[in-house]
Amino acid sequence: MAVFPSGEWLDDYVERINSSPEFADAARTFEADISYVFEAEPELGHQRDVWARAGVGGGKCLWWKYDVGPEEGRESQFVLQGPYSLWKQIILGEVDPMESMLDGDLAVTGHLPTLLRYVRAANALVNLAASGTTSFADEAQGAGLAAGTTAP
């Protein structure tokens, strides 16, 4: 079972994205380079900020990288940044990502109206994130896993 956040989790997630007809339809005209920042919350087992980056186009995730540096991450057209616990709530479907963006809980760098135009694609991404088998850094603490790592 992939631990969020990790490269293994991102690989599994991209596989679900690229096999989703719902995402393909909702994002067929959306092209973007997006960085995601999972901010550290050491008390929850997520020890450091982790940046992930992905390029989408034509209803697919075309490329992705896990654990890029902030310098590279800031080159993206959009940067979505929030604490680990908020990302966990989004993945679990407990928090709407668009509402989080509008409320300022999930910080957005980039043209927010463009993201809002693709709300169906964003919702599909959340549903796909929640559809996988995931454990979380704070749940894996007892197993000796730290955020940003995977089991040996």
Side-chain angles (χ1 to χ4, degrees):
M1 177 180 329
V3 175
F4 174 83
S6 69
E8 179 186 14
W9 184 89
L10 183 60
D11 289 344
D12 291 347
Y13 180 48
V14 169
E15 188 175 313
R16 289 191 304 276
I17 291 168
N18 286 341
S19 62
S20 168
E22 178 187 6
F23 180 74
D25 181 57
R28 69 183 177 280
T29 61
F30 183 48
E31 293 187 20
D33 176 347
I34 306 168
S35 284
Y36 304 86
V37 185
F38 314 117
E39 294 173 346
E41 288 187 290
E43 66 281 7
L44 296 178
H46 184 61
Q47 302 302 322
R48 62 184 177 81
D49 291 354
V50 173
W51 290 67
R53 192 173 180 197
V56 296
K60 297 284 184 192
C61 184
L62 304 172
W63 58 268
W64 59 99
K65 297 179 181 180
Y66 180 77
D67 205 10
V68 300
E71 305 79 24
E72 179 181 342
R74 287 189 188 98
E75 294 173 5
S76 293
Q77 180 182 2
F78 298 101
V79 177
L80 307 176
Q81 182 168 351
Y84 160 81
S85 57
L86 177 61
W87 285 108
K88 179 179 176 180
Q89 290 176 308
I90 289 169
I91 290 168
L92 291 173
E94 297 170 354
V95 172
D96 181 89
M98 288 299 164
E99 286 182 26
S100 293
M101 288 180 211
L102 293 172
D103 292 343
D105 297 330
L106 187 62
V108 178
T109 303
H111 194 244
L112 184 58
T114 299
L115 288 179
L116 292 174
R117 188 170 357 131
Y118 291 97
V119 71
R120 272 188 51 230
N123 286 334
L125 288 173
V126 172
N127 292 336
L128 290 164
S131 72
T133 304
T134 301
S135 65
F136 294 90
D138 54 314
E139 297 165 359
Q141 265 184 304
L145 295 177
T149 64
T150 56

